[in-house]
Amino acid sequence: MVNLPPFVTVLYKAWLRARLERYMRALDAIAAQRENDFHAERVLHKEVVLLRSKLHSL
C-alpha cells in the first residue's frame, strides 16, 4: 500500500466505515422487505387455496 499521511489515512478509514454502515443498513432493509414479502405471499397463497376450494365445491 502507498504510504499516506496519517490524516489522509484517518479520513479514508472514516469514509470506508461510513460506506460500510450505509451498505449494511441497505442490506438490513432488503432483508426486512424480503421477510415481509414472504409473509404476504403465504397469506395470499392461503387465500387462493381457500377460494379455489370454494369454487370447486360449487
Side-chain angles (χ1 to χ4, degrees):
M1 183 168 180
V2 178
N3 225 357
L4 298 174
F7 70 94
V8 173
T9 304
V10 170
L11 288 176
Y12 184 60
K13 284 182 180 181
W15 178 74
L16 288 175
R17 284 188 192 109
R19 197 168 159 194
L20 179 61
E21 280 297 315
R22 186 172 59 239
Y23 290 167
M24 291 301 294
R25 283 193 303 270
L27 284 173
D28 289 342
I30 290 168
Q33 183 62 46
R34 185 175 294 142
E35 187 69 24
N36 289 340
D37 289 347
F38 177 73
H39 289 300
E41 183 181 357
R42 288 183 63 196
V43 169
L44 186 58
H45 180 70
K46 284 181 184 179
E47 290 296 318
V48 167
V49 169
L50 180 65
L51 288 175
R52 278 187 182 155
S53 69
K54 285 181 180 181
L55 183 61
H56 287 289
S57 70
L58 293 177

